[in-house]
Amino acid sequence: MRPPALNPLFAPITSLPGVGPKIAALFRRLLPEGDGDMPAVVDLLFHLPTGLIDRRHRPKVRDALAGDLATMLVTVEEHRAPPPGRSRAPYRVVVSDESGSMTIVFFNAQPRWVAGVLPLGKSVWVSGKVEMYDGMLQIVHPDHIVAEDEAERLPEVEPVYPLTAGLTLRGVSKSVRAAVDRVPALPEWQRSDVLRQHHWRSFSAALTALHLPQRAEDLEPESPALARLAYDEILAGQVALSLTRSRLRKVAGMARKGDGRIVRSILAGLPFELTAAQQAALTEVEADLAAPERMLRLLQGDVGSGKTVIGLLAMARVIETGAQCALMAPTEILARQHHATLGKLAAGSGLRIGLLTGREKGRARDQILVAAAEGYLDILVGTHALFEQHVGFRDLGLAVIDEQHRFGVHQRLSLAAKGRAVDMLVMTATPIPRTLLLTHYGDMDVTRIAEKPPGRQAIETRLVSQERLPEVIAALGRTISQGNRVYWVCPLVEDSETVDVVSVGERFASLDKAFPGQVGLVHGQLSGADKDAAMQAFVEGRTAILVATTVIEVGVDVPEASVIVIENAERFGLAQLHQLRGRVGRGTSASACLLLYGAQLSENARSRLQTMRETDDGFRIAEEDLKLRGGGEVLGTRQSGTPEFRVARLESHLDLVEEARQDARLLLDQDPSLETARGQAVRILLQLFRRDSAMALLGAG
Ligand code: ADP
Ligand code: MG
């Protein structure tokens, strides 16, 4: 598949000079293919510099200041090797110019090497960080030492790369340079009018410009080189999404028109009327289901907007046609909750609903698997366990996926493969800014539920200094004595990281002392059964305060909970705070969200907390979050293995996203199998940005 010319780029990085298995292992931490296979040379290309070292400051010795990065022309005066037997002592070399003298210091240096680079009596350029030691200027291990007559080897500016412990800047620069040198002549995949309009040069010229920057501006998002590569990357993403989309659509869908029998019985049993927004969403979904094309729809609605019931009604439609449905949740707690909620909402409709998570084992598990495979279940609710190979259905018609950004496209495809022309409904409470919709969900149609069910109380959000903790605890006493329930959220802390952050365990202990027997605890380390037990006790009101990590972030529904306290709120992202806050205000009593903050608040953190106080508009919060943190954080995909952008910075490259989307559409309209010359070049682009798994879909037609 891959043109042979690309082979050097797809060789493992150990094929680069100076990169052995040890260095490669360190690179693995730095590059996105990090935890999987060995990174390839191509992965280094997009390891871009984050700044510049400027070596143009060339003072006389007398004028150099401690702390300066200075480059000086000096004469070597004297070598002071460590005394025999004290090889740990530094090796000092005295150098001078007409203005004064200073010392060059080496630790653990080979005397022969030092003598070679700094020969007595010779003029050399030395460049490095100047320090003051014992009243004498010195440079320890200069970055560069170059003989006067080889001055051209001294760079004026040098790129700075992100590093990890064990890798040196010089080593990384060298490897990256070698990788860039391997880029062969490639056919141009961008349209010439686009290149002309933006004043962009070729892919390899752009790479060279970024890895050999001359000025700080060369690394700005607006620089032509960075913009060109960002556009390349975004276009690769858009083409990949379009290919997935057309592939999913091409498999003829099925027109699923139920007779409305089950839908009506569920509606009749609901204790509420659908809101207009829910009704509109349902109509769209039903139209999709009834159409002969495959449904691929994202249902977006703020927490508490009532997506679950729409999911259920969509499933009911499909079940009316005799098919089955799957509902996927990202966590076990949520899967269990969905299972319970659906059971309640669908009571009396006769739907048979099963549950499959990692915790169903042995005979119980086998029974569920058999029931799904033979059609004795209408709906199977579950976690990732549903993706497993041996999970099968008699006739899977619709997969509903909750909070799908935690799953990848592959997992979506694998669910789709468990039936014929499976329709997909993806639900998310993450308000997704339009840019991210295009870059991450460009393959889907979107429905938004922009209205909340009536009777919801506004949530009062307050910022409270951590020092006022005793008052907060006293106020909680009053709240729970009135029969309300309280979430208390602590950030997940990796041990030893900071001392000023309380762990859930400590907080649980102190609250349990204040309110004996009324406090529960959930966090990720608990066993599934213990988590459930703690959740259940809170749901039933046997405990009034639930101390938790963000495991309660998505979806958990306890209408009696009216207060949420978020400790060290400055450590959470905006989207996450918004999700957490959505855990309250779901019932009829007035609700509050207390954001406790620690002593040192960064500017950025303060601005996040302010935003939380000012608005509860999820979409505004999401736009803010995108500006403050970038795309991967907003979607929470950072840990989920979804490809992230390495070059593009969505907050700066918004316009390019729209342009690339149209470009990709046009390209695939004219050349759906990427056969033309440009199509072939775009295939190379997909490979370079590792979006080529989408190309497999071309063959599979
Ligand atoms: P989401 O999943 O969108 O966050 P849910 O589906 O969990 O929201 O709904 C939140 C709560 O609102 C649930 O208790 C649900 O029963 C209730 N609800 C849903 N739709 C309505 C409605 N139209 N009127 C009143 N309550 C509703
Ligand atoms: Mg939900």
Side-chain angles (χ1 to χ4, degrees), residues 633-688:
E633 301 285 346
V634 174
L635 289 179
T637 48
R638 190 109 312 158
Q639 286 89 32
S640 70
T642 318
E644 271 311 316
F645 290 100
R646 299 188 59 195
V647 181
R649 300 187 207 151
L650 295 181
E651 58 284 12
S652 312
H653 294 131
L654 296 179
D655 299 348
L656 297 184
V657 173
E658 184 58 44
E659 198 177 333
R661 185 174 79 110
Q662 291 175 14
D663 199 346
R665 289 233 161 144
L666 208 64
L667 168 70
L668 290 172
D669 278 352
Q670 293 165 352
D671 181 14
S673 351
L674 299 180
E675 298 296 346
T676 62
R678 183 178 182 216
Q680 297 287 349
V682 167
R683 286 173 181 244
I684 293 177
L685 171 68
L686 292 174
Q687 290 174 332
L688 292 173

Side-chain angles (χ1 to χ4, degrees), residues 272-275 278 301-309 345 429 453-454 456 555 557 559 586:
F272 50 74
E273 300 276 305
L274 295 187
T275 63
Q278 282 172 315
D302 222 338
V303 277
S305 59
K307 296 179 293 293
T308 314
V309 69
L345 291 173
R456 292 288 159 79
D557 191 20
R586 299 167 83 87

